[in-house]
Amino acid sequence: MQAISTAARGRLQSIALATAALGLGIGSLTACGSTAATDGASATPSDAARSSEPASAGLTVTDAWAKAAESGMTAAFGTLTNNGSAPVTVVSAATDASDRTELHEMVMKDGEMVMQPKVGGFEVPAGGSFELAPGGSHVMIMDVKKAIKPGDTVRVTLTLDTGGPVEFEAVAKDYAGADESYQPEPGEMSSPGGMASSSSMG
């Protein structure tokens, strides 16, 4: 009887050890599964952050420069490139060189090229570019606060329809362009600083 009882106890101990080992294995598998789920969850916000990246991050300005000017009006030029997947529109601009900056285009009126505010702003197509150049669209800087000499840097900030700002620096240089007229908006008068109605901007 004693021998049978000892054998039974041995089997019970073996079963207990096997059960404990199985429990440890299941616990380890559960822990691994929990880690994977956590890693997946942490990756999701990161992906979401990338997808909600502001459109301004895709717009760049290259070859920027500005026309040197002693007073009055001047302009900034360059190439706007949209690396994003949706069109972006520049709706306004600001600069440290003046309290008044406008987006302008060149149009033919009464047999002469005149510049006027660009209604709707500059639209840069997805994956495309938009040229700001003398004789074409440009950032018009009205009533410069002080002379902008060759080599000076003009800081310009563009505001997009998405709200995100894009900043760039334009180095001033001498430029002798054709004499073009400025066509103000209806009812607009010359500025208190005596802004001329014509300037060599193109």
Side-chain angles (χ1 to χ4, degrees):
M1 245 350 239
Q2 184 66 29
I4 293 173
S5 187
T6 300
R9 277 199 300 272
R11 284 195 296 274
L12 289 174
Q13 289 176 350
S14 297
I15 292 171
L17 288 172
T19 302
L22 181 61
L24 287 173
I26 292 173
S28 298
L29 289 172
T30 303
C32 290
S34 176
T35 301
T38 301
D39 291 345
S42 63
T44 302
S46 177
D47 292 341
R50 282 194 294 271
S51 64
S52 62
E53 186 176 13
S56 60
L59 187 72
T60 58
V61 183
T62 56
D63 301 324
W65 63 282
K67 181 183 176 183
E70 288 293 324
S71 61
M73 302 183 292
T74 188
F77 313 99
T79 300
L80 310 179
T81 301
N82 180 6
N83 300 304
S85 58
V88 173
T89 301
V90 178
V91 295
S92 66
T95 174
D96 59 348
S98 172
D99 292 328
R100 183 183 172 197
T101 307
E102 298 179 354
L103 305 181
H104 277 194
E105 65 177 346
M106 298 299 301
V107 296
M108 181 68 73
K109 286 191 176 181
D110 299 325
E112 67 174 344
M113 290 296 293
V114 298
M115 52 186 170
Q116 66 182 18
K118 172 62 174 174
V119 177
F122 304 146
E123 181 174 323
V124 189
S129 61
F130 188 95
E131 194 75 18
L132 303 179
S137 298
H138 53 273
V139 174
M140 192 73 186
I141 302 172
M142 322 289 281
D143 304 321
V144 297
K145 295 178 180 178
K146 63 179 182 179
I148 299 175
K149 300 184 178 299
D152 288 349
T153 297
V154 178
R155 289 190 294 273
V156 181
T157 300
L158 305 178
T159 299
L160 310 183
D161 56 347
T162 56
V166 174
E167 298 180 352
F168 68 93
E169 293 185 344
V171 178
K173 66 179 182 179
D174 282 325
Y175 179 79
D179 191 25
E180 295 158 341
S181 299
Y182 169 55
Q183 184 71 34
E185 294 179 326
E188 182 181 5
M189 301 296 290
S190 295
S191 67
M195 181 186 72
S197 62
S198 178
S199 178
S200 300
M201 294 282 54

